[in-house]
Amino acid sequence: VTPGHSPADLALAQAHGLPLLSVIGDDGTMCPPGGGWLQGVHRFVAREKVVAALAERGLYRATQDHAMTLPMCRYRCPHPVPL
């Protein structure tokens, strides 16, 4: 569950009292909650490192492309999920 990822994940996190953590900084690099070994690594490079680490341990299954949708409000209302 990534509480800031979607409204459904946020609701689940809030229902179970999970902390809301930021794992990617404003500059696109990983923050300490994202894993100390990834701190300061750009998010796209971090993704490659995570996949490699999972594959090394025999835990990687596959990569699947998906469309990314970023909700936007044309009325400048607050974003429903903390960014």
Side-chain angles (χ1 to χ4, degrees), residues 27-42:
D27 62 354
T29 61
M30 302 303 290
C31 299
W37 64 288
L38 294 172
Q39 185 174 351
V41 175
H42 192 273

Side-chain angles (χ1 to χ4, degrees), residues 3 6-7 13 15 26-27 30 37 39-40 42 45 51 54-55 57-59 64-65 68 72-73 80:
S6 72
D26 292 337
D27 62 354
M30 302 303 290
W37 64 288
Q39 185 174 351
H42 192 273
V45 175
V51 168
L54 290 170
R57 292 167 177 79
L59 301 172
Q64 186 175 355
D65 288 337
M68 184 173 177
M72 301 287 282
C73 178

Side-chain angles (χ1 to χ4, degrees), residues 2-48:
T2 310
H5 186 73
S6 72
D9 284 357
L10 177 62
L12 183 65
Q14 289 174 330
H16 294 280
L18 299 175
L20 303 180
L21 304 173
S22 292
V23 296
I24 301 175
D26 292 337
D27 62 354
T29 61
M30 302 303 290
C31 299
W37 64 288
L38 294 172
Q39 185 174 351
V41 175
H42 192 273
R43 63 191 179 114
F44 294 123
V45 175
R47 179 183 296 158
E48 293 169 6

